[in-house]
Amino acid sequence: MNQPLAYIHPEAIIAQNVVVEPFTTIDKDVEIGEGTWIGPNVTIMAGARIGKNCKIFPGAVISAMPQDLKFAGEKTTAHIGDNTVIRECVTINRGTVDKLKTVVGANCLIMAYVHVAHDCVIGNNCILANTVQVAGHVEIGDYAIIGGSSSIHQFVHIGAHAMISGGSLIRKDVPPFVKAGREPLSYAGINSIGLRRRGFSDQKIAEIQQLYRLLFLSGLNNNAALDQIELELAPSPERDEVVNFIRNSGRGVIKGYSRNGNGSGE
């Protein structure tokens, strides 16, 4: 681990088998787990908590101060889960007084030039493609995939197993298990291929499809559609996850696609 051309603060807590390449800076109040590789020209600032077997590529900046004028210097952190890969020039800011931390989960792939702002919570097994821009306070569920050059508005929630097309402007919440695309961002079916890859049965996928038919294609508003879903579909973890997600949405959910561009499903 000893790299004479890197600066490592003596108070940083770094496992013995971490590799730190030349010209990297690691500040105080940093923890890095076993087996992690820190590439050259990486900057890891105070408050970083990096897990085991991560890979962080050149130009990345982890746990920089939040870009928030309300930030008053409070002690906050940025957490990176085990086995996560952070590619070139990614920036991940630490939290503010809101959550006191920013979190990127385990087994994620964060591609080049992604920005993750303060107080975001990104789940496990997520993929954020190149140049995705994530504003503050965003929450992204497990196994979500965000296409390249997409921008996510602050406070948006994206459900687990969602897949969003590249170049999207994500202004509304995206519920679990769906594909979303077009402009304005709209429901484009369920993520059936992704669900099969993750072991969902054909019967479970059909149940999710029926749920979203009622929500987006029945002509009912969201409240009426949710009532119909609870009446017609037996309780299940997936049904309840979708119903609770939509009922608790702070920004409102995306609409079903309409050729006139106005959408449907609200």
Side-chain angles (χ1 to χ4, degrees):
M1 185 197 79
N2 294 327
Q3 172 50 255
L5 297 179
Y7 172 75
I8 302 173
H9 194 282
E11 295 178 16
I13 300 173
I14 302 177
Q16 287 300 311
N17 59 349
V18 170
V19 174
V20 180
E21 301 289 2
F23 311 116
T24 280
T25 297
I26 299 176
D27 205 346
K28 63 181 178 181
D29 190 27
V30 167
E31 299 176 13
I32 302 176
E34 296 176 0
T36 287
W37 174 78
I38 311 293
N41 294 295
V42 171
T43 302
I44 301 178
M45 304 183 78
R49 305 288 184 265
I50 298 170
K52 300 176 181 178
N53 302 313
C54 295
K55 291 182 171 61
I56 303 180
F57 281 72
V61 180
I62 309 299
S63 197
M65 258 178 29
Q67 299 175 118
D68 185 340
L69 293 175
K70 300 185 298 299
F71 182 68
E74 56 266 28
K75 183 178 173 63
T76 61
T77 53
H79 296 251
I80 311 296
D82 296 346
N83 307 306
T84 282
V85 175
I86 296 173
R87 294 304 304 252
E88 294 83 356
C89 300
V90 167
T91 55
I92 300 175
N93 293 168
R94 65 182 185 263
T96 70
V97 70
D98 177 56
K99 289 191 176 74
L100 298 177
K101 62 184 178 181
T102 300
V103 178
V104 176
N107 305 300
C108 292
L109 172 57
I110 311 298
M111 295 189 194
Y113 292 96
V114 167
H115 174 65
V116 179
H118 58 88
D119 302 293
C120 290
V121 178
I122 297 174
N124 301 322
N125 303 288
C126 292
I127 299 174
L128 276 59
N130 296 303
T131 72
V132 167
Q133 305 295 290
V134 187
H137 314 280
V138 166
E139 296 186 15
I140 300 176
D142 295 346
Y143 291 98
I145 299 175
I146 315 298
S149 299
S150 296
S151 297
I152 308 176
H153 194 283
Q154 61 184 356
F155 294 103
V156 158
H157 289 191
I158 296 171
H161 302 277
M163 183 172 185
I164 299 175
S165 69
S168 294
L169 301 177
I170 306 166
R171 308 175 181 95
K172 297 283 189 179
D173 293 349
V174 179
F177 312 117
V178 307
K179 296 180 296 184
R182 309 181 179 99
E183 171 59 29
L185 191 69
S186 306
Y187 169 74
I190 73 162
N191 185 15
S192 55
I193 293 174
L195 294 177
R196 286 192 181 94
R197 287 173 177 168
R198 293 163 205 145
F200 284 71
S201 67
D202 289 343
Q203 179 182 355
K204 183 59 65 177
I205 291 170
E207 291 174 7
I208 295 170
Q209 285 175 324
Q210 178 58 21
L211 185 158
Y212 279 110
R213 286 192 191 103
L214 289 170
L215 183 64
F216 287 121
L217 305 177
S218 66
L220 299 172
N221 64 40
N222 283 348
N223 288 332
L226 292 175
D227 291 341
Q228 195 72 17
I229 288 166
E230 292 181 316
L231 182 66
E232 292 188 13
L233 301 181
S236 70
E238 294 78 16
R239 188 205 77 164
D240 294 344
E241 183 175 352
V242 172
V243 169
N244 290 333
F245 183 98
I246 294 170
R247 289 203 192 280
N248 294 321
S249 172
R251 292 190 54 80
V253 299
I254 60 171
K255 298 180 179 182
Y257 177 65
S258 171
R259 292 187 183 277
N260 63 19
N262 293 325
S264 62
E266 282 202 342

